[in-house]
Amino acid sequence: MARKISNRRKIIMTVLAWSIGFLIFFPILWTIILSFKTEGDAIKTPLQVLSSHWTFESYALVQERSNYFRHFMNSVIISFGSVILALVIGIPSAWAMAFVPGKGTKNVLMWMLSTKMMPAVGVLIPIYLMFRDWGLLDTRTGLIIVLCLMNLPIVIWMLYTYFKEIPSEILEAARMDGAGLRSEILYVLTPMAVPGIASTLLLNVILSWNEAFWTLNLTAAKAAPLTAFIAAYSSPEGLFYAKLSAASTLAIAPILILGWFSQKQLVRGLTFGAVK
């Protein structure tokens, strides 16, 4: 029997949820507001900022100083390229761990997850030297490889969880019908796990899009994504709040739009297998 919830409790929970949501979103909202102000207005008190003149001046100056669309294309290619490469590696790996388990499967999964616990700066020097010697510094290919390796543990963990929810009897039936390993993964397993694969792709695209440490240390100009585009507006002379806010808004707008339109798919994938 379902537990009855009073209208008063519904109202309180709704107000609390909206309040927490607004509190989390407020820094982004304030950044967007500052992006439509001049440098002089951006450093005023909040009430003065809201009542000051709104202008696109900062956006014009940012575009004049930097090539936004070049950085944007670098971010798109690097983010989606690294995640697609991680999925190509992660789907067969997760399949093997989910349907051909061994005694060491859990240990391997824990070892992969433990690599995310190490500070990235701990391996910066060897990776930088390898990229320098192999000609991968300031290249999209180099960033795709390093971001793929960075997100691969998360990709495999998520896919492993989704694959474990698929009944093994379905795969056994496919084998009895003559499906080989390649056909089993491509035509049986992958279509059934589309929600999980989609949510894995979306989540890791967001992680790759927002990655700043590796993009700032392994790029200079040619392959610099939007994270480097934002960092260009922080200088020893100080922060240019309006221009920095405009650059930040331009950088986060695409991923906010993507997240907004794909939120149902993301939630569906993250809850895949939760209800039987």
Side-chain angles (χ1 to χ4, degrees), residues 29-214:
L29 177 62
W30 192 248
T31 298
I32 296 173
I33 292 173
L34 289 182
S35 69
F36 291 100
K37 305 297 179 178
T38 62
E39 290 295 344
D41 292 334
I43 60 175
K44 294 180 179 179
T45 61
L47 289 178
Q48 290 175 324
V49 168
L50 293 174
S51 61
S52 61
H53 178 65
W54 293 70
T55 177
F56 287 94
E57 177 185 332
S58 296
Y59 288 96
L61 292 172
V62 165
Q63 182 57 30
E64 181 181 339
R65 173 177 169 179
S66 307
N67 189 341
Y68 168 76
F69 293 102
R70 178 171 60 82
H71 292 87
F72 171 77
M73 287 307 302
N74 285 340
S75 286
V76 171
I77 293 170
I78 291 167
S79 298
F80 282 91
S82 63
V83 175
I84 290 172
L85 179 59
L87 287 175
V88 170
I89 300 171
I91 289 176
S93 302
W95 172 88
M97 293 182 183
F99 299 107
V100 192
K103 293 182 179 179
T105 298
K106 291 185 178 180
N107 293 332
V108 172
L109 287 169
M110 288 303 300
W111 170 77
M112 286 191 299
L113 191 61
S114 69
T115 61
K116 296 294 295 179
M117 302 176 187
M118 181 180 67
V121 70
V123 292
L124 173 61
I125 298 301
I127 289 180
Y128 182 89
L129 294 177
M130 285 190 295
F131 273 41
R132 183 197 63 183
D133 296 340
W134 295 345
L136 293 175
L137 278 179
D138 199 20
T139 64
R140 293 170 177 173
T141 303
L143 282 178
I144 287 173
I145 293 172
V146 77
L147 292 183
C148 167
L149 295 175
M150 181 189 74
N151 290 329
L152 192 58
I154 299 176
V155 170
I156 294 178
W157 260 92
M158 291 183 69
L159 292 176
Y160 171 80
T161 303
Y162 301 136
F163 289 172
K164 286 293 288 183
E165 300 297 331
I166 297 175
S168 58
E169 290 80 7
I170 296 177
L171 298 182
E172 292 175 2
R175 292 167 191 162
M176 292 179 64
D177 290 338
L181 178 59
R182 178 175 173 274
S183 298
E184 180 182 326
I185 295 176
L186 288 179
Y187 303 118
V188 181
L189 180 67
T190 303
M192 294 184 65
V194 164
I197 294 174
S199 66
T200 301
L201 185 145
L202 290 170
L203 180 61
N204 284 277
V205 163
I206 293 171
L207 293 175
S208 297
W209 188 279
N210 295 330
E211 174 59 34
F213 179 81
W214 292 110

